[in-house]
Amino acid sequence: MSQIATTCPVKTSSRRLVKLEKDEAEAVQQDQQRHESTQHQPNLPPSLNSDTRIQAYLMEHPDGEPYILPPDPLIVTYNDIRHHLCVRRIVRSPDLWARCEDPDVQPLTASGRHWTRVSGNKPIEKTVLDIVERTEVSNCYIVALIDDGAREIPVPIGVPIFGKETCCNRPCGSLQVHLESVWTGVRVEHARLFPSKRCVLETPLDDRIFEVWKNELYVRVLTRVKEDMRTATIETSP
């Protein structure tokens, strides 16, 4: 009985065999080169690509021109951005705050604009950032969203530690009194926490209510925000 062959022999010419061996060698070499290139380049976060431009604004000048970080495959985390800004002497000790828009987080204005502090070796997700120079603010501070009817800008505000510090040499007693004493000629109309919308106009300024390194305070003022308001850091007194 004849057996059924499970394979079919194929006759190949010597010229054809040489070409196949050459093609295989080139494919192996290309795979090796691709492997080596991916080992030497860190994986970029999903939000970054070779054309991404990271914009860094000084929070004290939010309407100014941003510093544009040049494309760099080694800048993949927020710590990488901080290091770059320090090495280039843009700032000395930066805190980075990402610009965000989400009405579920900040429901007090139509834009939903707010800021989130970012740091560490977390992959870069937000590419529009505001910088707080730590040497020019209190160690414990918050970022307030100031709304003057025309613009919504961030302003750092020093927050005293309850029982250890006061907002001024003579305690002001409430957030409204404190802000109006620091910002000469400015009238504060509303002050609320978000997303809860809790009114804090008459609340004393300390860390019991105002959580440091957060942007959860919305302040509505009846005077257009001036340059000195942006740069005025509310200092604390021991």
Side-chain angles (χ1 to χ4, degrees):
M1 181 180 295
S2 62
Q3 295 182 345
I4 300 176
T6 57
T7 59
C8 295
V10 177
K11 294 182 179 180
T12 306
S13 67
S14 59
R15 183 180 299 177
R16 173 70 172 169
L17 184 60
V18 170
K19 185 178 186 305
L20 289 174
E21 290 175 348
K22 183 180 179 181
D23 291 345
E24 181 179 5
E26 290 179 352
V28 170
Q29 184 179 8
Q30 290 175 358
D31 286 344
Q32 182 66 25
Q33 291 174 347
R34 190 179 300 111
H35 176 71
E36 291 176 354
S37 67
T38 55
Q39 281 193 325
H40 287 85
Q41 293 183 357
N43 293 327
L44 292 176
S47 60
L48 297 183
N49 56 56
S50 59
D51 297 325
T52 301
R53 296 295 183 269
I54 299 173
Q55 303 176 55
Y57 294 80
L58 292 176
M59 190 172 286
E60 63 188 47
H61 302 293
D63 298 328
E65 291 295 322
Y67 173 75
I68 308 296
L69 275 72
D72 188 337
L74 298 180
I75 298 180
V76 296
T77 71
Y78 291 112
N79 272 353
D80 295 334
I81 295 178
R82 294 182 73 253
H83 177 74
H84 175 89
L85 294 173
C86 292
V87 169
R88 295 296 180 92
R89 298 184 179 181
I90 306 301
V91 288
R92 288 174 290 175
S93 180
D95 264 356
L96 303 180
W97 292 75
R99 293 188 185 185
C100 307
E101 292 186 355
D102 186 343
D104 290 331
V105 175
Q106 194 277 95
L108 297 170
T109 66
S111 70
R113 179 172 294 180
H114 63 284
W115 283 259
T116 300
R117 186 172 181 256
V118 292
S119 61
N121 287 317
K122 295 180 180 179
I124 299 168
E125 296 180 351
K126 300 293 185 179
T127 56
V128 180
L129 306 170
D130 285 271
I131 305 168
V132 172
E133 172 57 75
R134 289 298 302 272
T135 62
E136 297 179 2
V137 300
S138 303
N139 183 49
C140 297
Y141 73 95
I142 62 174
V143 169
L145 170 60
I146 309 299
D147 178 8
D148 67 2
R151 291 169 299 168
E152 301 170 9
I153 66 170
V155 175
I157 297 177
V159 175
I161 305 301
F162 178 71
K164 294 184 178 181
E165 304 168 315
T166 59
C167 61
C168 296
N169 291 328
R170 183 177 180 180
C172 296
S174 74
L175 178 66
Q176 180 180 21
V177 172
H178 183 77
L179 294 180
E180 290 182 351
S181 67
V182 173
W183 295 330
T184 305
V186 173
R187 181 184 171 190
V188 176
E189 182 181 23
H190 297 301
R192 297 182 181 275
L193 296 180
F194 56 82
S196 67
K197 301 183 181 181
R198 172 182 174 180
C199 179
V200 290
L201 201 61
E202 301 299 325
T203 302
L205 179 62
D206 60 52
D207 65 335
R208 292 175 297 175
I209 301 298
F210 303 96
E211 186 175 353
V212 299
W213 304 323
K214 296 281 189 179
N215 170 222
E216 299 175 336
L217 176 62
Y218 166 83
V219 178
R220 176 77 163 89
V221 298
L222 297 180
T223 308
R224 184 173 175 82
V225 174
K226 302 177 182 178
E227 188 69 21
D228 58 353
M229 284 182 62
R230 300 179 189 175
T231 59
T233 302
I234 301 179
E235 300 293 346
T236 60
S237 300

